[in-house]
Each structure stands twice: as structure tokens, then as C-alpha cells.
Amino acid sequence: MSRRRIRGPKLRVKLLLVAIVLLVVPWLSYIQLVEMERLLVQSQKNAQLLMASSIATLFNNRVDLFNDLPVQIEDYEHLYAHPIEGNIIVDGDETDWGPNLSRQIRSFGEGDGSFDLALGEQSNQLYGLVQVRDSERVYRNPWSIQIDSADHILIKYIDTSDTAQHISLTFTEPGVAIAFQGSPEVDAGKMPFTNIGAFLRETTDGFIVEFVFPLANMGARRDFSVAYVDVDDPTSQQPRAITETIPTSESESFGLVVFRSEETVNLIESLGYVDTRIQVVDNQHRTRGDIDVSDPASDSADDPPRGLLDIFSVLRPFLHRVFIGEEFREPTPQESLSLEQSAIGSALGGEPLAVRRTSSSGSPSILAAHPVQSPGSILGAVVVEQDIEHILSFQQRALEQILLVSLIALFIVIAVALGYSIRLAYRIQKLGSSASRAIDEHGRLTEPSLSVEVNAGDEIGDLARSIRNMLERLSQHQVFLQRMPRTLRHEINNPLNTVSTSLENLRSSTEPAEQERYLQSARRGIDRIGRLVQNLSDAASLEDSLKNEEFSVVNLEELVRNYAENLQSANADIELVYRGGKVPALAHVSDFHIEQMLDKIVDNAIDFHRPDSPIKIQLDQGTKYLRITVANRGPAIPGDLGSLFDSLVSQRSEQSTLHFGLGLYVVRVIAEFHGGKVRAINLKDGSGVAVSVDLPLAQESTSRSSELAA
């Protein structure tokens, strides 16, 4: 069955994803900036409410300032002149009246001949915007001496000497008007009234007339009215209709123009606030004072360029949606107007309120409204508005720095991570290619070792060294497998030939002595075959037998001493010296496997010891461990002593075919399973080798065996 290739993201992709995780830094920074902005905006709201409260204190109980009109307003059809911000050009274009124009317009009349009127006040000038609905536009013949022979605007007012005056705005074509002073009924002998300017612009359903009127011409009573005279028949030149701003009861022939209170304006100006718009409205939502003071010194060179703020304004909604998960936008002019009215309405209801909105200049601002009170009633409200562009400037600078640093850091990290991943992937691929070339398609080793990356000090170097060790072990194993058939054939054939010959001789022999000799020869051949089989099976069956072995507390001092005595009796030609303690050395072990372990160590010592030297077996006992040491005089062991206890490792010559490098491996397995360890050292004078096994005493050995069983 074919194995499916495991697919997943490459290492460079993973490192790139890790680098992208660094986006959490600008995310957290933006959240912090948003919270900081909310804190600053709330602090600004509280400060402006406190400022509005302080200003409102000056107007509390000042009924005279709110009732300073010359007559009762209820007796008049009042015309409200709103304060105008910015420059007004008398050109028939209403766009320079600002976003609040729709709130200032009032309608008069119905159908053809009706008009909408808006009045504004600025710099002691009264501005008017008349939007006339007239399907038949009739212009005055420039050669005609009659003033009211065509459509025209009629302005009535009371001058400073309490005399009623009339101004007729006539037009011979779209454009600049000609203003005549006097009643339309008088003959055309009057000169144009030059200090009033007007301009007419045609529209789809009529025309727009914009005019400017000096307030100095108006008397203290502020009586003023506007009328539109509609003439549809240029032949008869008779007015079809006249639409006026006078009351429907016709008890008065004028309207009352309401504009700012001079004393209120002077009082606000005396406060000395800068970069602040202060407005005082009465309880009928009429502005009695409106001051907008800007400090030229505030436009410092430290403020960021407008272009940066525009970039921030463009990026802010996107960043807010990505990082916060909600839509962000500044209020539109219509929404800002509604917010202003709600704040003023709340203040006139007795509740101070501060809102964030967009000012008439298009900048974000805070508008705070506070009630002006007198005993038992609310006279009006004080409105304080300040731009918060300095807050956004601070936020923009902080965001700019954060984005710049984050982008640079992100770019550097991504570049480094990408370069590192490419280098890492190259090293891994190189190591993988070298490891693949070491084994051919049939599973045979072609290179006994590995040289790529083995000198590196990182994890790849560790991996390369592990692969090198594995290849060396596999090379030894491959040599072992290659030698094994020849070795087994040679070693098994010899005892088999002996057994076969002995059996043949036994069959033909009749002498009991000869038969016994042939039987002994056959037994020796069978024993040799058994030793070969035992050497091969020791390593394979050892770990399984240890798992099922029952341990018991054994006096190793007695066990090792008896083992040495028995070994000496069986090998009279070898001198064995045992040295042990006088007290019992109790350990929780399997005595059979301890003897098996000693067999392997002593066999190794016998094979390598110098014939005229003894083999020493010594038992030392400590507080927690005991040590069994077997030493012999003979050749020292070259190379890595720790590798002696690996499987298939042998220091014997190539001709020693009965040994497969499993003896000391069996020693290590038995020692480690008993919770101990084994090591080999060359004697200090280089005259021999000592192999020592450390085993825990009974209390330590019991706990270790329990851990292994678990």
C-alpha cells in the first residue's frame, strides 16, 4: 500500500505567519489610542461644561439681557437675523451661507409669487437671501421711467428719524440690481439708492435675489419688511400679486428684526476666551450673542500639516473597523446641526449636555450647552464650542509613529524571518539530500557516515550528529549482517562435523570407553552450537524477560562472593580476586539476571586480560548505592568508552567471529532496568580496564522498580 505524502505549510510560511502575528502590536497600540482619545474627549467635554457653567453664572437672573427688545415680540411677525460665519459675497449663490441655511429660511405666500427668506447679520450689515418662485419672469425695461412696471423686491423699514422708507430692487436682466429709494407710486425722478447692493440669479422655478443692507440705516425699533411684487403681463405692467412679510392681521406694516444683543456680545468678549465659540440663546432658540474668537498664536509650526491629518482621516475608518470591529465616522453637517439643537434643547430643559460634532469649518469639535436660570424659569442657554483638532493632532502623531515603527519593525522581522527560513530550509534540504544519498533504493548503506552540518551548534547540528551516529550504527549492523552468514556457517559447520563424526564413530564402536569419548565429543559440539544460538537470542529476549521477572531483596555481598568462588573453582588457570564488605549489601533485584550480567563482564575481562595478571572483583557500598567493579590488566580501550555498551559494538579483532558485540549491551540493559548505571574506564596508568555497575540499595531499588512497573 502506497503511503500518502504529508502536506502542510512550509517552514518559511510558518515563520512568515509568526512575523505577521506582530500586527498585534499596532492593534493594541490603536486600542490604547482610542481609549486615550475617549478619555481626552471626555475631559474636554467636562472642561467645556465647566466653562459654560461659569459663563452661565454671569447671565443668571439677567432678565434684562434676554428681554431687551424694544417691543413685545408676540405683537410682531418677527424676522430673525442669524449670525453669519465666514465671508458672504453678494452674487446670488447661497452656498456661502453655510450648512445652517435650511434652518434660517422662512416661507411666505403660496404658489406662484411666493418666496423663502433668510436674513443674516455680520459686521453691522444685514444680508438677505430671497428665493422667489415665479413661472413668468418679467424684467424692467431699462428705458422705462416706471419703477413698478416689472417684477421687483420691495424693502420697507423705519430709519433713525422714525420715518418710513421704501427701497425698490429692480432688475433689467440677471445680475446686479438697481436700488431706488422712494414709494413705487412716485414718478421716476429718484436717483438710485447706492448703499444697498443686490444680485439676481435665475433658477428653474424662479430666481434668487441676494442683498446687503446697512444696519446703520435702521432705527432703534428695528422695523423691517420684505415684499415681492409679481408682474406677469409686460404689456399692462400691473402687479398680479404682492407677497409680504407683514403680519396677517395687518395691524403692523413691518416685521421685527431680531439680532444679537450688543450688551450680551460685549459681556462675552470681556471674558477673554480664545479659540472658542461662545453663543447665548434665549428660551425661544434665538441667538442673543455669538462670538467666535481665534488665537493666531495657536497656529504654531508644531502642528502637523493638513495633508497628514487628511491621511489620518482617511485611514481612521479603515483602522477602526479592522482593529475595533465597528464603523467610525465624524457626524455629517446635518447630524451636527441636529446634535447642536439637541444639546441646546437639553440645556433649555435644565440639563447640561456636551456632544461631539463637526463644526461649520468642517473640523471635529465639542459643543457644551448649560442653562441660564432665574428663579422659577430658564432664561436661555450658554453654548461653548471648541475644536478638538489638537486631540486628533496628538493622536495622529502618535498613530503615525506607531504605524511607522510597526511597519519598519514588521518589515525587518519579515525580512529576517524570510531570510532565516530560506537559510534554514536550505540547510534542512541539504541535510535531507545527504541522508537520502547515504541509503540506496534497496535499503543498503552507500555512505557509512555523514559530514553535512555535523559541526553546527544548533538543533540541526544535533539532528545531523544523530543521523551520523545512526548511519555509523547501521553501517556496523550492515557489516554484522554481512559477516553473520559466513560466521554462522563456519562456526556451526565445525561442531556439526564433530557431532556427525562422533555419532558415526559411536555407531561403529563397541568399546564402552570409546563410546563414552565419542559421546563427550558430540556433547561439546552441541554445546558450541547452543552458545552461538544463546548469544543471538540474549539481546532479543532480555527486555521481555525482565518485564515479567519478579524481583526480591538479595544480599549482593553474599551473591557476588559466592559467584567469584564458583568461578574460581571452574577456572583454575585464571586468578580471581574478590574484595567485599563485612556487612550485607541488600538490593531489590533479580539474582539470575545479576549473575547473567556478571557473566558478561567477567567473560569480557577474561578475553582481554593479560595471562599473568589477576582479575579483580570488588563490591563497595555507599549510603544509597552499591558498586560492583571488575578490573583486569590488559590493553586499554581506544575511542569512546560509552559506545561499548551499545548493541553490535565489539573491540575484538575481525577474526573473533563468535562474538557479535552483544555482551556489554546486555550488561547495560540489566543495570538500567534495576535502576542503576554502568560505565567503563581505562586505568590511570593505562595498564588495563575497569567496568563498574552502580545499583541502588534496597529502599532506593524498590521505588525505582515501582516506577518502571508503572
Side-chain angles (χ1 to χ4, degrees):
M1 182 178 64
S2 61
R3 297 169 56 189
R4 292 189 305 169
R5 182 180 178 184
I6 299 176
R7 297 185 179 274
K10 299 294 185 182
L11 188 60
R12 60 176 66 94
V13 176
K14 293 180 180 178
L15 290 174
L16 186 62
L17 292 176
V18 171
I20 294 177
V21 171
L22 291 177
L23 286 174
V24 72
V25 175
W27 172 62
L28 292 176
S29 301
Y30 183 79
I31 292 178
Q32 183 181 10
L33 282 178
V34 170
E35 294 302 322
M36 185 182 299
E37 179 193 14
R38 290 174 180 171
L39 177 62
L40 293 175
V41 168
Q42 186 60 45
S43 300
Q44 183 74 15
K45 288 182 179 180
N46 295 337
Q48 287 186 214
L49 282 174
L50 184 61
M51 183 190 302
S53 174
S54 302
I55 298 173
T57 303
L58 300 177
F59 294 95
N60 284 342
N61 302 320
R62 293 294 304 272
V63 180
D64 56 314
L65 294 180
F66 291 89
N67 294 337
D68 64 346
L69 298 177
V71 294
Q72 293 297 322
I73 194 168
E74 291 81 3
D75 298 337
Y76 275 75
E77 185 76 25
H78 67 277
L79 303 176
Y80 181 57
H82 296 262
I84 296 177
E85 299 178 4
N87 296 323
I88 292 289
I89 300 176
V90 181
D91 56 358
D93 186 4
E94 70 275 13
T95 56
D96 51 5
W97 282 69
N100 299 330
L101 177 62
S102 59
R103 182 168 63 88
Q104 302 171 11
I105 288 179
R106 292 188 58 195
S107 298
F108 296 91
E110 295 181 359
D112 205 39
S114 63
F115 65 89
D116 297 333
L117 174 66
L119 296 178
E121 179 263 332
Q122 185 188 67
S123 302
N124 209 29
Q125 299 285 334
L126 181 65
Y127 290 88
L129 185 70
V130 185
Q131 298 176 343
V132 178
R133 287 174 289 276
D134 190 356
S135 59
E136 296 291 337
R137 292 184 289 268
V138 177
Y139 295 104
R140 187 176 66 85
N141 188 338
W143 306 108
S144 174
I145 61 175
Q146 188 174 355
I147 297 175
D148 57 352
S149 61
D151 297 336
H152 63 279
I153 301 293
L154 180 62
I155 298 176
K156 300 179 183 180
Y157 67 98
I158 300 295
D159 63 11
T160 55
S161 61
D162 274 347
T163 303
Q165 299 291 344
H166 298 75
I167 302 295
S168 298
L169 302 178
T170 64
F171 304 90
T172 59
E173 61 182 1
V176 179
I178 300 177
F180 291 95
Q181 183 177 14
S183 174
E185 290 82 7
V186 300
D187 294 334
K190 301 289 184 180
M191 295 297 294
F193 192 79
T194 55
N195 68 342
I196 294 181
F199 192 95
L200 180 143
R201 179 174 65 86
E202 291 184 345
T203 61
T204 56
D205 61 346
F207 53 86
I208 294 177
V209 175
E210 190 174 12
F211 67 85
V212 57
F213 179 86
L215 288 175
N217 294 344
M218 191 182 301
R221 292 183 56 185
R222 307 175 194 170
D223 293 327
F224 187 86
S225 70
V226 177
Y228 172 62
V229 180
D230 183 18
V231 177
D232 286 347
D233 188 355
T235 302
S236 64
Q237 300 180 348
Q238 294 298 317
R240 185 193 67 82
I242 300 177
T243 304
E244 300 183 78
T245 61
I246 61 174
T248 55
S249 63
E250 299 186 2
S251 59
E252 296 287 348
S253 59
F254 298 96
L256 178 66
V257 178
V258 181
F259 48 88
R260 296 181 296 180
S261 167
E262 184 175 355
E263 185 176 356
T264 301
V265 172
N266 293 335
L267 186 59
I268 296 174
E269 289 178 340
S270 67
L271 297 176
Y273 289 109
V274 295
D275 288 333
T276 305
R277 177 193 171 209
I278 302 176
Q279 183 182 12
V280 178
V281 298
D282 59 19
N283 53 17
Q284 298 186 45
H285 292 262
R286 297 184 297 265
T287 300
R288 306 312 318 281
D290 194 343
I291 296 295
D292 191 354
V293 182
S294 298
D295 183 11
S298 64
D299 300 329
S300 63
D302 296 334
D303 290 338
R306 183 69 241 180
L308 293 178
L309 292 177
D310 291 339
I311 294 175
F312 173 69
S313 300
V314 172
L315 289 178
R316 178 70 186 274
F318 171 75
L319 295 175
H320 206 78
R321 177 171 292 278
V322 171
F323 291 148
I324 306 298
E326 60 185 28
E327 184 180 1
F328 174 84
R329 63 181 181 87
E330 296 290 351
T332 63
Q334 292 75 18
E335 292 171 340
S336 298
L337 179 60
S338 177
L339 289 171
E340 179 182 3
Q341 292 303 311
S342 64
I344 295 175
S346 177
L348 293 178
E351 292 294 331
L353 180 63
V355 295
R356 176 175 177 171
R357 74 180 202 114
T358 302
S359 65
S360 57
S361 63
S363 301
S365 65
I366 299 295
L367 185 144
H370 196 281
V372 177
Q373 300 175 342
S374 67
S377 64
I378 295 179
L379 299 177
V382 171
V383 179
V384 176
E385 185 175 15
Q386 288 184 340
D387 286 347
I388 58 172
E389 199 159 314
H390 61 286
I391 295 178
L392 297 183
S393 299
F394 163 76
Q395 188 182 37
Q396 186 274 336
R397 287 192 294 268
L399 181 62
E400 180 184 4
Q401 294 176 358
I402 289 173
L403 287 178
L404 181 61
V405 172
S406 299
L407 289 176
I408 292 176
L410 188 63
F411 174 77
I412 293 175
V413 170
I414 290 177
V416 171
L418 190 60
Y420 176 73
S421 65
I422 292 174
R423 170 64 178 166
L424 196 61
Y426 169 75
R427 293 176 60 194
I428 294 175
Q429 290 173 355
K430 184 178 178 183
L431 178 60
S433 299
S434 298
S436 299
R437 289 195 301 269
I439 301 176
D440 63 15
E441 58 182 0
H442 302 292
R444 293 188 296 265
L445 283 176
T446 58
E447 296 180 10
S449 185
L450 184 72
S451 60
V452 175
E453 298 290 344
V454 293
N455 295 323
D458 55 7
E459 288 79 0
I460 296 181
D462 295 338
L463 177 61
R465 287 185 286 274
S466 298
I467 295 176
R468 181 186 64 181
N469 294 336
M470 180 186 68
L471 290 177
E472 291 175 351
R473 298 277 300 279
L474 288 175
S475 177
Q476 294 174 357
H477 183 67
Q478 182 169 291
V479 172
F480 168 76
L481 293 178
Q482 290 172 351
R483 289 166 47 191
M484 181 176 287
R486 183 174 64 253
T487 301
L488 289 177
R489 183 184 62 184
H490 174 74
E491 293 300 327
I492 292 177
N493 280 340
N494 287 337
L496 282 177
N497 290 334
T498 301
V499 172
S500 177
T501 302
S502 299
L503 291 177
E504 288 292 333
N505 293 333
L506 179 62
R507 187 177 62 177
S508 61
S509 175
T510 58
E511 294 293 330
E514 289 184 353
Q515 290 179 349
E516 181 62 27
R517 182 165 56 85
Y518 293 143
L519 285 174
Q520 291 294 334
S521 177
R523 290 192 185 97
R524 284 195 300 273
I526 293 173
D527 288 341
R528 290 180 64 187
I529 296 174
R531 285 186 60 194
L532 289 173
V533 175
Q534 183 64 35
N535 283 339
L536 293 174
S537 64
D538 273 347
S541 61
L542 179 61
E543 294 185 0
D544 291 337
S545 65
L546 284 172
K547 290 180 182 178
N548 300 322
E549 189 68 28
E550 294 184 0
F551 289 4
S552 61
V553 177
V554 178
N555 184 0
L556 287 185
E557 195 280 330
E558 181 181 354
L559 184 145
V560 176
R561 178 165 44 81
N562 292 335
Y563 175 84
E565 292 175 354
N566 295 333
L567 186 62
Q568 181 65 73
S569 300
N571 298 275
D573 55 335
I574 299 174
E575 181 184 359
L576 292 172
V577 178
Y578 170 73
R579 293 179 182 176
K582 301 295 184 181
V583 296
L586 302 180
H588 193 256
V589 296
S590 168
D591 53 356
F592 168 75
H593 288 99
I594 295 298
E595 291 180 351
Q596 183 183 14
M597 178 184 72
L598 291 173
D599 283 340
K600 302 301 181 183
I601 300 175
V602 172
D603 285 347
N604 208 63
I606 292 174
D607 290 343
F608 287 97
H609 89 292
R610 203 165 54 227
D612 57 345
S613 63
I615 296 175
K616 296 180 180 180
I617 302 176
Q618 183 171 334
L619 176 65
D620 299 310
Q621 183 174 349
T623 57
K624 294 183 179 181
Y625 283 83
L626 59 87
R627 174 173 294 173
I628 302 172
T629 305
V630 178
N632 66 276
R633 299 289 181 178
I637 300 175
D640 183 13
L641 297 179
S643 64
L644 288 175
F645 301 96
D646 295 337
S647 63
L648 306 178
V649 175
S650 177
Q651 295 291 332
R652 290 178 171 82
S653 63
E654 296 292 330
Q655 289 75 22
S656 181
T657 56
L658 273 176
H659 297 274
F660 302 103
L662 297 173
L664 292 181
Y665 170 71
V666 172
V667 172
R668 179 173 69 84
V669 172
I670 294 175
E672 290 179 353
F673 197 81
H674 283 84
K677 58 184 179 180
V678 61
R679 65 172 181 163
I681 59 173
N682 292 317
L683 299 179
K684 291 183 178 180
D685 57 2
S687 62
V689 177
V691 176
S692 63
V693 178
D694 293 341
L695 296 174
L697 292 173
Q699 63 275 16
E700 299 293 333
S701 179
T702 303
S703 61
R704 174 62 180 167
S705 299
S706 300
E707 292 176 3
L708 292 173

